[in-house]
């Protein structure tokens, strides 16, 4: 079911389970590269709940912020690779 919010942008409706889980609509998962096992940050912004996927692109874009000369980026990429191992 679609709703209109914040001007003309459409929103999808989902239901929260007893465990606090929600389903992110497929269109948004594809748009933001969210796949099974993708980690996300959940935070409050401007009185709303926001979800930010922690994808490889996000990690690359954030490189240099911590001033570790790439060591942190390398550790994060290695960690992501280990998560993907069977």
């Amino acid at each position: 079911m679609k709703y209109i919010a914040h001007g003309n942008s459409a929103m999808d409706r989902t239901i929260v389970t007893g465990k606090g889980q929600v389903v992110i609509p497929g269109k948004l998962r594809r748009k933001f590269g969210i796949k099974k096992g993708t980690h996300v940050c959940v935070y409050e912004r401007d009185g709303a709940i926001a979800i930010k996927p922690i994808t490889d692109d996000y990690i690359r874009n954030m490189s240099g912020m911590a001033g570790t000369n790439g060591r942190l980026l390398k550790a994060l990429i290695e960690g992501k690779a280990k998560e993907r191992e069977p």
Side-chain angles (χ1 to χ4, degrees), residues 47-86:
I49 298 171
I51 300 173
K52 179 74 177 173
I54 308 301
T55 60
D56 291 340
D57 288 339
Y58 176 78
I59 292 170
R60 281 190 202 90
N61 289 336
M62 299 306 288
S63 67
M65 277 188 76
T68 61
N69 295 322
R71 292 186 308 273
L72 182 58
L73 174 62
K74 183 178 178 184
L76 288 169
I77 290 173
E78 288 172 357
K80 291 277 289 175
K82 287 181 183 177
E83 289 174 8
R84 292 184 181 129
E85 291 176 0

Side-chain angles (χ1 to χ4, degrees), residues 2-54:
K2 297 276 185 189
Y3 291 91
I4 302 298
H6 304 296
N8 293 329
S9 62
M11 292 183 357
D12 288 300
R13 180 177 170 181
T14 188
I15 298 173
V16 179
T17 69
K19 290 183 172 185
Q21 300 167 325
V22 297
V23 174
I24 301 170
K27 182 179 178 180
L28 292 173
R29 290 194 314 268
R30 287 186 295 277
K31 179 177 180 177
F32 291 99
I34 299 172
K35 299 175 182 155
K36 181 179 179 181
T38 298
H39 289 244
V40 298
C41 289
V42 180
Y43 55 96
E44 182 181 352
R45 186 170 102 194
D46 299 328
I49 298 171
I51 300 173
K52 179 74 177 173
I54 308 301

